Amino acid sequence: MKENIFVTRPSMPPWEEYTERIKPLWDSHWLTNMGELHNTLEQELKEYLGVEGISLMVNGHMSLELALAAMKFPQGAEVITTPFTFISTTHAIARNGLEPVFCDIKSSDYTIDEDKIESLITEKTVAIVPVHVYGSICNLERINRIAEKYELKVIYDAAHAFGSTYKGKGIGTFGDASVFSFHATKVFNTIEGGAVTFRNPDLYTKLYNLKNFGIRSEEIVAEVGANAKMNEFAAAMGLCNLMHIEEEMGKRKKLMERYRELLVPVKGIRLLEEQIDVKPNYAYFPIQIDETVFGRSRDEVCDALKQQGIFCRKYFYPLTSDQICFGDRYRGLPLETARSVSKRIMVLPLYADLQIAQVEEIVNAILACQCNRIK
Ligand SMILES: *Cc1c(COP(=O)(O)O)cnc(C)c1O
């Protein structure tokens, strides 16, 4: 029987490399609480990402929640964000007692539509949380100008953008903070993990308190905080995976090039545009299917592939604003582009160990849906 192909498969280092890394833990018994591996990874990532400040966390979501918490916005304040993202982005805002204000996206790269941000700003607006969705980089310069004009904070959800640069600068250097996810399914993983990057050194202490119960010394709790520390086993995984990151991205690049070659000529399928000044990280391969031209809907293609053991994902459908946890609160919002993209988008399998032959198989399966219709 043929092997199933899933949308992603976590990168793992050679077993020996990992066991070498974790061996000393059996001597030290120091398993968490900013151990040696945690601190080493923090330093290595700081260099790799080219950022001034970084704080490692237990996962990407808590990184986002605590980055927002560290800004100390008043309860009920408004945060402009996008609904075309993983639910984590919206939850992080809501769980901080803040009100998400949803802005539409651009059809060119699916990031927040900077032309529509200003009209959403009110007296209660305190921040913008844009998302570098699929690794597409937001319009950093325009967003920065808007933020300066209205004195808003910018916290980028960079969960998809690990390793990307804009005009040669690490993507984590933009805005007041950027948040990365090192979840197993992301380009770089620590099994579960994440980080906040920033320029203002005060944020390091604030985030340290927030991720470690506000404990400053044996008898002193200086702040109310959560527990969101990265443990040593996760950090070890990160140190190992970081050694192979360039090689992993190189493999993703080749696969993506093959997808492009095969899909560019297909009418009714739209690919993500390459961005100028951006060094991409080859995180995801989303395609948009226009049923009127292609002859088959996104859902039909997805189902047909599933029957052949190829599991794509409808990222991001539904929009986070339309999820039932928010009831009808945001259902009527004018998010035309986001809604239209959300209905047509699907993400094709892409991970370092995927084979070129499998890419060809996936594309053939997509094209076969079209033939079945014509027959
Ligand atoms: C994965 C992801 C997160 C959350 O990261 P976790 O590490 O899974 O908690 C946040 N935002 C986006 C856009 C993501 O894809």
Side-chain angles (χ1 to χ4, degrees), residues 59-61 64 85-86 88-89 131 157 159-160 181-183 186 193:
N59 57 47
H61 179 78
L64 207 45
T85 179
F86 181 50
S88 169
T89 319
V131 182
D157 183 339
H160 296 177
S181 162
F182 308 148
H183 184 257
K186 303 292 196 318

Side-chain angles (χ1 to χ4, degrees), residues 279-291:
K279 180 173 100 62
N281 68 349
Y282 312 102
Y284 297 92
F285 196 81
I287 64 171
Q288 229 191 113
I289 297 183
D290 181 348
E291 185 180 0

